[in-house]
Amino acid sequence: MLIDAGPRDQRPAQALPDYGLIYRGEVLNADLVIAGQVRVTLHVQSDCPDTDFVAKLIEVERDGRAMLLMDGVVRAMYRDSSSSAPQRMQADRVYRLTIALAHIHHTIRAGCRIEVDVTSSNFPRRARNTNSGNPVLANDTEADIRVARNVVHHGAATPSFIEIPIIAN
């Protein structure tokens, strides 16, 4: 993969049709130090037997740039880490999945915002998912590609949220 290292402005990706969801916080009044493991928990549904869920932690800078700090992905068929067998999704069920974004130590400056984006693809950074339910290494063809219609739930019984460890100033 010949992708440049370092933070990337996400605005070009966010401008794509059907990009996904963008959750943007208020402007910070003071510096915020985050340090440790960041996780996103989602309650989701899909009309496909498999799809990806990608979560991105982004710092929106004063000039509007949406700089990627970290991201993570879960292939829904492999959401159960206690099982090595793929588990297809059923359209009428809501599934809880957790996306581990990794560890971080970063200061978000006063005047900036925290943003969390949820998408179903991050190609070419992450491998393509045809949403077909075929095994990861299958030789899918164009005919196998399905457009997934995904839902992220936010109810009391099905909350979706991010865990960000904060160091007190």
Side-chain angles (χ1 to χ4, degrees), residues 44-60:
V44 297
Q45 275 181 280
S46 181
D47 66 349
C48 287
D50 186 33
T51 192
D52 288 347
F53 287 93
V54 177
K56 300 177 180 180
L57 180 63
I58 294 170
E59 179 177 1
V60 179

Side-chain angles (χ1 to χ4, degrees), residues 13 29 39 44 52 70 74 78 80 87 98 100 116 123 125 130 132 143 145-147 149 151 157 160 164 166 169:
N29 295 324
R39 285 185 290 273
V44 297
D52 288 347
M70 59 195 326
V74 167
Y78 297 97
D80 183 358
Q87 299 174 11
T98 300
V116 177
F123 183 80
R125 180 172 162 74
T130 62
S132 65
I145 296 173
R146 296 178 58 180
V147 175
R149 286 165 189 75
V151 176
S160 294
I164 301 175
I166 298 171
N169 292 334

Side-chain angles (χ1 to χ4, degrees), residues 14-148:
Q14 292 169 337
L16 296 171
D18 300 325
Y19 168 73
L21 301 172
I22 299 174
Y23 301 96
R24 187 170 293 145
E26 298 296 323
V27 173
L28 296 175
N29 295 324
D31 289 357
L32 182 70
V33 179
I34 56 177
Q37 173 75 51
V38 176
R39 285 185 290 273
V40 174
T41 297
L42 302 173
H43 280 85
V44 297
Q45 275 181 280
S46 181
D47 66 349
C48 287
D50 186 33
T51 192
D52 288 347
F53 287 93
V54 177
K56 300 177 180 180
L57 180 63
I58 294 170
E59 179 177 1
V60 179
E61 297 184 354
R62 291 181 187 99
D63 63 5
R65 289 180 297 149
M67 303 306 290
L68 178 65
L69 297 176
M70 59 195 326
D71 68 344
V73 62
V74 167
R75 186 147 292 189
M77 272 192 351
Y78 297 97
R79 66 193 170 276
D80 183 358
S81 61
S82 66
S83 172
S84 62
Q87 299 174 11
R88 290 175 166 237
M89 298 179 78
Q90 298 171 14
D92 61 342
R93 289 201 46 207
V94 176
Y95 298 91
R96 177 185 168 122
L97 54 90
T98 300
I99 305 169
L101 275 64
H103 289 81
I104 190 171
H105 187 272
H106 181 75
T107 300
I108 300 176
R109 299 285 176 208
C112 297
R113 298 172 186 252
I114 296 174
E115 178 177 289
V116 177
D117 291 8
V118 177
T119 69
S120 189
S121 175
N122 197 4
F123 183 80
R125 180 172 162 74
R126 304 292 184 170
R128 171 176 93 153
N129 187 337
T130 62
N131 304 318
S132 65
N134 294 333
V136 173
L137 300 177
N139 292 320
D140 288 345
T141 66
E142 293 296 317
D144 294 308
I145 296 173
R146 296 178 58 180
V147 175

